[in-house]
Amino acid sequence: MELSSADREIIDGEHGRAAADAMQLVLKFAEAVGAPRLLPCASAHVDGCLYHGQASLDFVERFVALDGRVRVPTTLNVGSVDLIHPELFIGDAALGAAGKRLMEAHVELGCTPSFTCAPYQTLLRPRFGDQLAWAESNAIVFANSVIGARTNRYGDFIDLACALTGRVPDYGLHRSEYRHARAVVEIHGFDGAEPDQAGGLAVAAGLFIGKHCGDTIAAITGLPASTSEDDLKALGAAAASSGSVAMFHAVGLTPEAPDLAGATGGLDVPVVARLGPSEIAEILATLSTVPDWAALTAVALGTPHFSLTEFDRLMPMLDLAPFAVPIYVNTGRHEWERLTTDGRAARLEAAGVTVVVDTCTYVTSIIRDLSGAVMTNSGKWAYYAPGNLGVDAAFGTLADTLHSARAGRVVRA
């Protein structure tokens, strides 16, 4: 492997024992994936702050004991508890304490306490072409696809090792030749789609490419002009949930796909599916495990974390209050600070909406009553929650979820 002088300085311990030990992990990983060299990374996003057992904590505590410090700007994914609203956690106290310590330990290493799965919409948004060491599946897809930065699917432990060294293996999606689409998915019949409809369409497209394309990069044609950044966020989250997707191209919408030829690198790529309104409806129907009019016990929004733009869409719908069931919205600290400052947090609380930060309701014990179905506008939440929480889920648009919260049962706006 080609090693730079900067690499050798880290290996030789000139930047401390923690960086040297982390470098050994990065080098072994690079060897395993066949990378010929290491690249300097512009930033890291660490998923390992979500507690999965004692090994998670032991790994980080070792680097804390060695006085480790991250060498690049490093944001943190969701943890196991809401540190700002600790009273929301209703799980095992020992589990909550371990999760809290894991989050704090990462901060002691110099990581930014962002605790969000959507760092790209808050702090340290990458630039086009930046080389990253990012974990968290939806963030990886967004960085590659919507921003045009470059990262592979990094997981727990290797994400922090890259952050501690500032180095990342040069392979896969870090290289231009591996970023072209090798499958085409055509969408038709949605030219005049309204924003709510565009959001559902994006989720369906994401679920399809995740299930049927796997880790093959797909170019999606025909998404409507009303498709927003938040819709593309939802598309990537659904794709990464249902498959091993790390990147997609939305032709005419994402930076490396000004046209189909740009997305495919000029190659003749097969069309693997043509999806119209009936096919999209069938895909979205698979996200609901209960029929329409089924009773609800809660509504869950913000997976990935709600952006300020999504809150802008939500606020007028609070006029539907009073709601028959509680509404939970996951978001980041940056958004929470803005909501608190401009008075929207108080209005949300008055309407019966609980804002959750630092974590997410499908990975930790927050929702008080899971005896009935929970409705969501998130393809990711609907995909994972039945298995994670043992709860039935209903999927709908944002408007659907608010009307359903008012009725206490699934309705379609």
Side-chain angles (χ1 to χ4, degrees):
M1 184 179 298
E2 300 173 20
L3 295 176
S4 68
S5 58
D7 295 332
R8 295 189 183 279
E9 287 179 3
I10 298 173
I11 294 169
D12 293 340
E14 295 184 28
H15 298 280
R17 173 73 182 278
D21 283 8
M23 188 62 149
Q24 294 303 319
L25 295 175
V26 174
L27 289 171
K28 288 295 185 183
F29 182 86
E31 179 183 350
V33 297
R37 66 188 63 83
L38 302 179
L39 299 170
C41 64
S43 71
H45 181 65
V46 173
D47 187 49
C49 53
L50 179 63
Y51 186 75
H52 290 298
Q54 188 61 37
S56 302
L57 188 52
D58 289 346
F59 183 79
V60 180
E61 292 283 26
R62 184 171 186 280
F63 287 112
V64 171
L66 293 174
D67 297 322
R69 298 287 294 181
V70 295
R71 292 175 54 81
V72 294
T74 302
T75 48
L76 293 173
N77 200 44
V78 296
S80 298
V81 294
D82 181 342
L83 297 179
I84 294 177
H85 312 105
E87 71 280 0
L88 294 179
F89 182 73
I90 57 173
D92 178 78
L95 181 64
K100 178 175 182 288
R101 174 56 197 155
L102 182 63
M103 297 165 76
E104 293 170 342
H106 277 88
V107 176
E108 291 175 21
L109 293 175
C111 300
T112 300
S114 51
F115 301 120
T116 179
C117 57
Y120 43 82
Q121 290 185 316
T122 55
L123 305 170
L124 304 176
R125 183 179 175 111
R127 298 170 298 180
F128 181 87
D130 278 353
Q131 302 287 2
L132 313 175
W134 275 27
E136 161 52 35
S137 59
N138 99 83
I140 292 162
V141 181
F142 192 99
N144 280 315
S145 310
V146 184
I147 296 176
R150 300 185 172 200
T151 182
N152 291 304
R153 284 174 64 109
Y154 295 107
D156 292 8
F157 304 149
I158 193 63
D159 52 1
L160 182 58
C162 289
L164 289 164
T165 60
R167 311 294 285 171
V168 67
D170 181 16
Y171 82 107
L173 295 176
H174 292 288
R175 304 175 72 97
S176 298
E177 62 266 31
Y178 297 119
R179 296 176 63 85
H180 297 307
R182 292 296 175 259
V184 176
V185 175
E186 295 181 348
I187 306 291
H188 62 88
F190 292 92
D191 291 344
E194 297 296 326
D196 242 16
Q197 189 181 24
L201 171 59
V203 168
L207 289 172
F208 182 89
I209 66 172
K211 183 176 181 179
H212 296 281
C213 297
D215 60 0
T216 299
I217 298 175
I220 307 168
T221 65
L223 289 173
S226 57
T227 302
S228 67
E229 178 174 292
D230 287 313
D231 296 333
L232 295 174
K233 172 177 74 173
L235 193 162
S241 300
S242 61
S244 52
V245 174
M247 183 177 183
F248 66 87
H249 295 290
V251 176
L253 296 173
T254 52
E256 294 177 63
D259 49 35
L260 186 56
T264 64
L267 296 180
D268 185 15
V269 173
V271 176
V272 298
R274 294 179 173 87
L275 306 178
S278 61
E279 290 84 5
I280 294 298
E282 289 176 7
I283 294 169
L284 293 179
T286 65
L287 289 174
S288 296
T289 60
V290 293
D292 289 357
W293 296 101
L296 298 175
T297 55
V299 162
L301 307 171
T303 307
H305 278 175
F306 242 39
S307 67
L308 289 171
T309 301
E310 288 173 296
F311 275 111
D312 288 341
R313 292 181 58 209
L314 173 64
M315 297 307 293
M317 298 183 191
L318 297 183
D319 292 340
L320 292 168
F323 299 109
V325 298
I327 300 170
Y328 298 85
V329 185
N330 307 299
T331 195
R333 290 185 171 198
H334 173 260
E335 287 79 5
W336 171 248
E337 291 172 2
R338 289 283 298 273
L339 296 172
T340 301
T341 300
D342 63 23
R344 283 186 287 178
R347 187 180 171 207
L348 287 159
E349 182 180 2
V353 177
T354 298
V355 179
V356 180
V357 300
D358 294 348
T359 188
C360 187
T361 53
Y362 86 92
V363 297
T364 195
S365 298
I366 296 284
I367 298 177
R368 263 53 183 171
D369 186 357
L370 295 174
S371 62
V374 178
M375 193 168 189
T376 183
N377 72 331
S378 163
K380 182 174 184 176
W381 201 99
Y383 189 87
Y384 281 127
N388 283 10
L389 304 177
V391 66
D392 280 313
F395 176 83
T397 66
L398 181 61
D400 288 341
T401 63
L402 271 292
H403 282 276
S404 297
R406 176 186 174 92
R409 60 183 61 251
V410 179
V411 297
R412 303 292 175 183

